[in-house]
Every structure is written in C-alpha cells, then in structure tokens.
Amino acid sequence: MGKRKGLQNFLFFFGILPFFFWFFLRTIQAEEKKGDILYYTCTMHPSVKSKTPGKCPICSMDLVPVYASSFETKAEQKIPKETPEASPFFIPPERLQAIGVRTEEVQVRKLKLEIKAPAIVSINESKIYDINVKAGNGYIIKLYANYVGKHFSKGETLATILSQDWVQAQMDYIKAYRAWRRSLLVKKDNPILLDQQFYHIRARLRVWDLNEDQIRELEKYAWSMSVNDVRTAKGIRGTFELRSPIEGHIHEKNVYEGMYFTAGQSLLKIVGLQDVWILAELPEDQARYIAIGLPCQISFPALPEKTFEAKIDFIQPHFAEETRRLQVRVVLPNPHHILHPGMYADFKTTIDFGTRLAVAEDAVIPTGERYVVFLDHGGGHLEPKFVEIGDKIEGYYIVRGGVKEGDRVVSGANFLIDAEARVQGALKIWSSDHYPMKEKKDSGEKQEPQQMPPSHMHGIPHSHMHGMPGM
C-alpha cells in the first residue's frame, strides 16, 4: 500500500513539474514579446498616466502597464489595406461557348432616360371662388345652386338675397348719383369734391358683388325717380340677385333655401374647369431629374387617341411620407370640358444625357463597394477590371473610369465567369487577406494538409465506434 502511494506521488510530481516549467517559459516569452513599458494607466480612466506603478488617484484601482508593442499593433492596424488586385485568367474558348458567354464593346452612346409615372386629373385650385355676401346679413329667399356639381354660366343667378342693409345701400347710392348728375348740368363751386364723394359711395356699393349691368340698372332707375319717390324710397327693393363670377360648377354648398347668414359667411364654392391640373407622383430615384419647365406628354386611358404636350408647372417641395414619392403638377387647358377631375392619366418625360461612354448593365458585377467588368482579350483570355460607374440609363451605366471606348467586355453569363475567376484566384477581393496559407507561401514554407490518425476521430478511439449505426 505504501509502495503504491509513493509511486503515485512520484508520477504526480514528475507529471506536473514539466507543465509548470513549460508555463513559466511561455510567460517569460510573452513578457519579452510585449516590449518595453511606456507608462502605467488606469483601465477605467485612460487619461491617468504614471511612470511608476501605483493606485489610480480617481478610483484607487491598480495601474496597469502599457507596452510599446500595443502601439505598434495599433499602428499596423491603421495601415490602409491595399487596393484589391486583379489578374488575367484563362478559360478555354470551348467552355466559353458552352456556357453562353456574350461580349459587347464599350461605346460612346446617345443616352436618354424616359420617365413614366401614374397621374390623376384634379381641379385647378386657383380657379375656386368663394361666394358670400360681404356687406351685410340676410336671408336666402331663393336658391338656384341647390346641389353640388350644377353648372352655371358667368353672370347666371345663384341665389336671391333679402337684406335690410341692402335697402340703405341703394338709397345712399341713389342720392349720390342724382347729385353727381345734376352737378354735370350746373356749375358747382367744388366739383372735384363732389366727384370724390360719388366714387367713394360707388366703391361701397361694389362690396355687394354687383356687376356693371346691375349697377347701370340701378343708376337708370335712380335718374328716373322723382324727388318724392326718393324721399319715400318708392320702388326700392329689399332683395338682390347673387350671380356667378365665372363659368363653372358648384364645388361646395354650405347654404339652404330660407337660411339666415351673416356678412362674410361662405355660402357656396364654385370652380371653373377651363383648365385642370395633372398631378403625377415620381419615386425618389427619378425625382432628381425633374425641373420646372421640363417638356412632358400627358395621355389618358379613357382618351387613347389624344396626347397633350405640356410643361411641368410646379414641383412639391416635400416628399409624401406615406408613399415616399414627389408630386409634380402640369396645367392642361380644358376648353370643351372633356377632362374631368378624378380621371386617370399617364405622365411621361424624356431626359437627354447627350453622348456618354457607357457599358451594358449586364456586364457590370457589384462586389460590395466596387464594380467589376471582365475584359475579353480574345482566345479565352479574360481580365477582371474595376470600373467607376454613374447613372443607369435604359440598360446602360455611364462610365466614369476603368475602361475605355472600344474595350470588349463580357455581357452574358457573367456569374459563371465570376465563379471561374474565384476558382482561379483572378480577383484578390474575393480571397481573404488573412489566410494562414498565404503567409506560409510568402515565407517559402510548404503547407501540408493535416490528417487525423486512422485510429482516432475527434479524440474518440476507433475501436469504440464499431457499435454505431453505419460503421
């Protein structure tokens, strides 16, 4: 029993001692690799720096050393990575033909971008008129504009108004008009003052929204009245007709027959349809090409035989938050009222980019932050080339750099060429810069693949796996 215990102590001592010795040597080597100590600092307060070890004056934690090797590592990390390299590679022409490779020349092309967007017909908001009585309160005796959408010609009667203030306004004007007419026949001491008084009363009468015909009719009646009629207000009516200022239809109705209203209250809204708005909405990527005055074409699914030429009249300053689209406006004349608000329309315009060097869209492969094309040198010799591209227009990218006119690029089966380029390592951007094999190749050492011993797998003896299924 004592011999066995002594044997165990012997094996433990000579088994553990080499391990501690190896750990000690590794620690010394690690300390040597760290380099010289630059200063001591606090992990919680990096602003604290000391030449000697000690305690942090802020939190009383032990200061830790900062080695020179830490700065060297940070400096190495700040070195920018090299520009991804590209090298030619070879694919047999028979294989290129089998996978359906197509090529195309980089050419200077005349590029035009056609922008299309859905649109809708809307009323011209600048042609909406509010109908009200500005000078006094009253009642609606008769309402002719008795439903929304009813059409009225200019000067047609909308309603008959009864107002007590209207009676007094007529009498003031009749007296002023008769005095002014008599002054033209008899020389007065101060005719200018009389004229001013008359025009002042005439301006007050216009507040009742009377047209010239109504004012002339009142003046004709005023001159035919006798002095007694003027004194008794004989023939003066307490009602007047409220007439439409434009040709249009009733857009909004806020009044009913017999209703009482106050001065300035909105009774009706009438809108003219002599011209209409076409409202189109463009996505963000197309809105940047649009400008006021840009020519455009408007067509209608309901009127396939008609296409209207117009210009952009207005661009909304903000995108719609719900749709992320920008609204543009076009004004179209509508003399025969064939365009009705709510109709669908199609907006189209063309942006001319002139002649630009361009490459086919199918020839460009994105690799993240950069773009690649494959140059075809003939005979199966291909070369990846990084290019700088601009806007995409009708299937072509504007070329800003990387290729020149006349270069032939692969424009079909590009992803198969991409896979072949990866296999042959033609593009360094697709190979890791941190592979251990690359470092050993640079040092001249040969990398042998590691193989597991035939008797073990993942640390489990092979003899213990005979009972497992499939073994």
Side-chain angles (χ1 to χ4, degrees), residues 47 69 81 104 111 169 188 280 286 297 308-309 344 349 374 383 399 405 439 443 459:
S47 59
S69 58
K81 294 183 178 180
E104 183 177 333
L111 299 178
K188 297 292 182 179
Q286 294 181 352
Q297 297 80 41
F308 297 84
E309 298 289 336
Y344 287 115
T349 186
F374 292 98
E383 179 187 358
V399 176
E405 184 179 3
E439 297 176 358
S443 61

Side-chain angles (χ1 to χ4, degrees), residues 347-460:
F347 170 90
K348 184 176 72 172
T349 186
T350 303
I351 310 298
D352 190 357
F353 286 84
T355 54
R356 308 288 290 272
L357 185 65
V359 63
E361 175 187 359
D362 296 337
V364 179
I365 298 179
T367 64
E369 296 181 355
R370 308 189 68 181
Y371 296 87
V372 175
V373 298
F374 292 98
L375 296 181
D376 182 15
H377 296 295
H381 296 280
L382 303 175
E383 179 187 358
K385 197 77 172 179
F386 292 101
V387 293
E388 296 180 9
I389 60 175
D391 296 328
K392 184 174 72 173
I393 304 167
E394 299 296 335
Y396 289 91
Y397 282 109
I398 294 177
V399 176
R400 294 179 177 173
V403 292
K404 61 182 183 300
E405 184 179 3
D407 286 345
R408 183 164 289 276
V409 296
V410 176
S411 62
N414 255 350
F415 287 99
L416 297 175
I417 301 298
D418 168 16
E420 190 69 26
R422 297 190 192 196
V423 172
Q424 299 191 25
L427 270 175
K428 298 298 185 292
I429 194 173
W430 283 312
S431 63
S432 176
D433 294 333
H434 306 289
Y435 284 168
M437 290 185 64
K438 181 179 179 183
E439 297 176 358
K440 293 195 175 184
K441 284 182 180 179
D442 295 340
S443 61
E445 296 181 12
K446 187 175 181 180
Q447 176 77 7
E448 293 290 343
Q450 296 182 357
Q451 296 182 358
M452 297 296 293
S455 61
H456 292 77
M457 180 177 293
H458 300 288
I460 303 175

Side-chain angles (χ1 to χ4, degrees), residues 208-402:
W208 292 87
D209 290 330
L210 302 180
N211 56 31
E212 290 295 330
D213 292 339
Q214 290 175 299
I215 294 177
R216 281 195 293 268
E217 182 180 351
L218 180 60
E219 291 174 348
K220 183 179 180 181
Y221 180 75
W223 189 244
S224 64
M225 294 175 68
S226 64
V227 175
N228 189 48
D229 292 339
V230 173
R231 187 180 300 111
T232 59
K234 182 180 178 180
I236 301 299
R237 296 181 301 171
T239 62
F240 70 95
E241 294 178 343
L242 190 62
R243 300 185 180 183
S244 175
I246 61 168
E247 180 185 359
H249 67 272
I250 301 302
H251 180 62
E252 186 177 323
K253 175 175 169 288
N254 303 316
V255 67
Y256 301 93
E257 194 168 293
M259 191 181 83
Y260 175 80
F261 64 86
T262 58
Q265 179 180 342
S266 178
L267 305 178
L268 303 165
K269 282 185 172 62
I270 188 168
V271 59
L273 292 180
Q274 290 75 22
D275 47 48
V276 293
W277 285 355
I278 309 297
L279 304 178
E281 294 187 343
L282 303 177
E284 293 185 22
D285 59 339
Q286 294 181 352
R288 59 194 180 106
Y289 300 115
I290 300 300
I292 294 178
L294 186 68
C296 59
Q297 297 80 41
I298 306 296
S299 58
F300 300 88
L303 303 170
E305 72 283 356
K306 292 184 177 293
T307 300
F308 297 84
E309 298 289 336
K311 292 183 178 181
I312 295 177
D313 177 69
F314 176 74
I315 301 174
Q316 283 288 348
H318 304 287
F319 279 86
E321 293 184 1
E322 299 82 6
T323 60
R324 303 307 308 160
R325 288 175 171 262
L326 188 66
Q327 188 182 88
V328 299
R329 187 178 76 198
V330 177
V331 181
L332 284 185
N334 188 28
H336 303 293
H337 297 178
I338 61 174
L339 304 179
H340 304 280
M343 287 178 62
Y344 287 115
D346 295 312
F347 170 90
K348 184 176 72 172
T349 186
T350 303
I351 310 298
D352 190 357
F353 286 84
T355 54
R356 308 288 290 272
L357 185 65
V359 63
E361 175 187 359
D362 296 337
V364 179
I365 298 179
T367 64
E369 296 181 355
R370 308 189 68 181
Y371 296 87
V372 175
V373 298
F374 292 98
L375 296 181
D376 182 15
H377 296 295
H381 296 280
L382 303 175
E383 179 187 358
K385 197 77 172 179
F386 292 101
V387 293
E388 296 180 9
I389 60 175
D391 296 328
K392 184 174 72 173
I393 304 167
E394 299 296 335
Y396 289 91
Y397 282 109
I398 294 177
V399 176
R400 294 179 177 173

Side-chain angles (χ1 to χ4, degrees), residues 137-204:
N137 306 336
Y139 294 88
I140 306 296
I141 299 301
K142 179 66 177 177
L143 182 63
Y144 300 98
N146 47 14
Y147 58 87
V148 174
K150 188 173 183 179
H151 182 268
F152 285 88
S153 300
K154 183 177 181 179
E156 192 173 350
T157 302
L158 299 172
T160 301
I161 305 298
L162 172 64
S163 176
Q164 183 179 357
D165 297 327
W166 167 240
V167 175
Q168 186 61 43
Q170 290 180 93
M171 290 304 303
D172 293 341
Y173 186 74
I174 288 174
K175 294 176 180 179
Y177 179 75
R178 288 173 60 87
W180 178 74
R181 284 288 301 269
R182 285 196 299 269
S183 68
L184 298 178
L185 302 176
V186 180
K187 186 177 180 180
K188 297 292 182 179
D189 296 334
N190 194 354
I192 298 179
L193 179 60
L194 190 60
D195 290 345
Q196 290 177 347
Q197 292 175 348
F198 171 71
Y199 290 127
H200 174 70
I201 296 177
R202 186 183 179 92
R204 286 170 54 189

